[in-house]
Amino acid sequence: MREIPKPTEMDQVEKKYVRETRCFKTARVFPTDVNNHNTLFGGKLMSYIDDIASIAASKLCRVNTVTASTDSVDFLYPINPTDSVTLESFASWTGRSSMEIFVKVIREDLKTGEKKIAATAFLTFVALDENNRKLIVPRIIPETEEEKKLYETAPDRAAMRKQRREESKKFADFLTVTYPWE
């Protein structure tokens, strides 16, 4: 008779549906939000992205979380002053103490009603306890086709993140910390 394996620490980790982490933010594009091309300033959109991603990360863990990396922000279409911008964010994958958060940016022309995916982003967050030590994060359960596709493709993105981080550390060791005037 085969012995039943003992449950591991990870088997006993809390699980949450992706939908439990989902959040939305809609904003109007005002004249002070645009750049010299009269489209939404990229830095403004990146601020919105980090903000809503942090909310999704917190909804997953219900503890302090920090941005570990902004893995990618792909600007696909400009966002105009006649548009509103809606960001949808949710946990797309979890590791032991880190989580990948996906952000979808939808522009909607407020005059015609036309909608387009204007940008997508992936960010990594880490859950921390009150002493800033990493915590184990809940596993996620994808349900929709979109959630399942993001979940299934996440290990490849995680491997790329790990490699890029190692390369970034090596590069940072090469860089100087002195100012030109010193």
Side-chain angles (χ1 to χ4, degrees):
M1 183 154 74
R2 285 181 47 191
E3 188 175 311
I4 298 172
K6 294 179 182 173
T8 66
E9 181 181 359
M10 293 307 288
D11 292 333
Q12 298 175 14
V13 170
E14 178 185 7
K15 293 179 174 73
K16 286 190 174 181
Y17 290 101
V18 170
R19 65 178 134 86
E20 295 178 75
T21 70
R22 193 175 305 274
C23 46
F24 298 88
K25 173 187 184 74
T26 301
R28 185 171 207 119
V29 179
F30 288 108
T32 56
D33 299 329
V34 299
N35 58 27
N36 57 317
H37 302 289
N38 203 35
T39 59
L40 182 64
F41 180 56
K44 178 85 167 182
L45 183 59
M46 290 172 70
S47 175
Y48 286 163
I49 288 169
D50 191 48
D51 179 43
I52 196 157
S54 73
I55 295 169
S58 293
K59 288 176 77 169
L60 174 67
C61 302
R62 299 297 179 187
V63 297
N64 290 330
T65 61
V66 294
T67 309
S69 66
T70 300
D71 305 324
S72 67
V73 178
D74 294 313
F75 300 101
L76 306 172
Y77 291 98
I79 300 169
N80 302 305
T82 57
D83 297 335
S84 68
V85 59
T86 299
L87 293 88
E88 177 183 355
S89 178
F90 54 87
S92 51
W93 186 76
T94 55
R96 180 178 168 79
S97 62
S98 65
M99 63 211 91
E100 177 186 82
I101 306 296
F102 175 66
V103 181
K104 176 179 18 173
V105 179
I106 302 166
R107 77 168 202 202
E108 179 179 351
D109 186 305
L110 293 173
K111 294 186 177 179
T112 67
E114 178 193 12
K115 295 178 189 173
K116 254 188 177 162
I117 302 294
T120 59
F122 288 96
L123 298 89
T124 302
F125 282 77
V126 176
L128 300 175
D129 68 12
E130 58 279 348
N131 296 312
N132 290 328
R133 289 187 301 248
K134 292 180 182 179
L135 292 170
I136 295 174
V137 299
R139 304 295 109 213
I140 61 161
I141 304 166
E143 297 176 283
T144 69
E145 290 305 310
E146 185 176 64
E147 293 167 359
K148 289 175 184 176
K149 176 73 169 178
L150 287 164
Y151 186 83
E152 290 165 4
T153 56
D156 290 337
R157 288 189 300 276
M160 287 189 294
R161 268 193 296 276
K162 183 177 181 183
Q163 179 182 354
R164 189 182 68 247
R165 185 169 174 81
E166 289 169 6
E167 290 170 4
S168 290
K169 284 182 178 181
K170 287 178 189 173
F171 185 63
D173 288 341
F174 169 77
L175 299 173
T176 64
V177 294
T178 57
Y179 298 114
W181 57 87
E182 292 183 322

